[in-house]
Amino acid sequence: MQYLYEQSDILNSPYEAFWYGSSAPDFPVKSHLHYFMEIIYVTEGNALVYINQREYLLSSGDLILFLPHEVHSIYTASYKPLRYAVLKFDLNALHFNHSHTPKLASLFKSSLLDPNISPIFKESELHDFEISKLIDDCVKEITNKEYGYDITMQALFSTLLTKLIRIWKKAGFST
């Protein structure tokens, strides 16, 4: 029997960041869900992504969010190799104490209810935010796991999410 739920070891690996793609032996990524947030950033090729039975096409430079408990899958959309970064983390693990910063889990959950909000961020929207470098830094931190990497990962994920929320705000999403 094949299960939809993806397990994770939050105690030993609260953050994950790695490169993946169509050359991996277990690609395509079949339908599954998990309790944590996942971000996919495409660097080569085109991806066909399904989230809760909705279809999305991503090109190189595009990013997509999978919120907790969303059923999603990933396929290649062309004959070219697909390569992308995968970032996984628990939204509730990112702690903020400032009253102007709402709880991120609630914010992202409410984004699902707004028809103006898309889980896809196109390369043209991300260009000014140096997302490529930010994502590369995440993968390097997780790969090296030097002293304090968990603090650095929290800062990098917080920066990334803040930039994505600012893009949403431009699209009319009220936080």
Side-chain angles (χ1 to χ4, degrees):
M1 177 178 211
Q2 211 172 17
Y3 295 99
L4 281 176
Y5 187 74
E6 179 182 337
Q7 292 283 86
S8 181
D9 183 0
I10 191 168
L11 293 176
N12 294 314
S13 299
Y15 309 107
E16 292 183 55
F18 53 90
W19 294 107
Y20 200 74
S22 56
S23 63
D26 55 349
F27 190 86
V29 177
K30 305 289 187 194
S31 293
H32 68 285
L33 62 93
H34 33 71
Y35 73 89
F36 49 85
M37 179 173 239
E38 183 172 3
I39 295 175
I40 300 296
Y41 178 70
V42 178
T43 58
E44 293 176 30
N46 298 304
L48 184 59
V49 175
Y50 294 92
I51 303 176
N52 297 332
Q53 300 178 343
R54 293 182 70 192
E55 184 178 294
Y56 300 94
L57 181 64
L58 279 75
S59 300
S60 182
D62 295 347
L63 179 146
I64 192 164
L65 297 173
F66 302 120
L67 300 178
H69 307 290
E70 288 186 319
V71 177
H72 57 279
S73 56
I74 306 167
Y75 302 88
T76 187
S78 68
Y79 292 106
K80 295 179 184 178
L82 174 63
R83 183 172 187 260
Y84 56 91
V86 179
L87 308 177
K88 298 179 182 183
F89 56 96
D90 183 358
L91 273 171
N92 295 313
L94 300 177
H95 302 289
F96 302 99
N97 294 324
H98 197 278
S99 63
H100 294 295
T101 307
K103 188 168 180 166
L104 285 175
S106 299
L107 179 77
F108 280 95
K109 187 174 183 179
S110 69
S111 72
L112 291 173
L113 304 174
D114 191 326
N116 297 321
I117 300 306
S118 170
I120 292 181
F121 296 83
K122 297 308 247 177
E123 179 183 30
S124 59
E125 297 174 298
L126 299 169
H127 187 265
D128 294 338
F129 290 118
E130 295 184 3
I131 296 295
S132 182
K133 181 182 178 339
L134 196 66
I135 294 208
D136 196 43
D137 288 348
C138 288
V139 174
K140 286 177 185 173
E141 279 294 326
I142 290 293
T143 301
N144 296 334
K145 287 191 177 178
E146 293 179 14
Y147 176 81
Y149 85 94
D150 54 336
I151 297 168
T152 302
M153 289 306 300
Q154 184 165 355
L156 290 169
F157 283 142
S158 299
T159 300
L160 176 60
L161 293 175
T162 299
K163 290 175 187 247
L164 298 179
I165 291 167
R166 288 177 180 170
I167 292 170
W168 275 351
K169 285 181 75 73
K170 285 182 181 178
F173 180 62
S174 60
T175 53

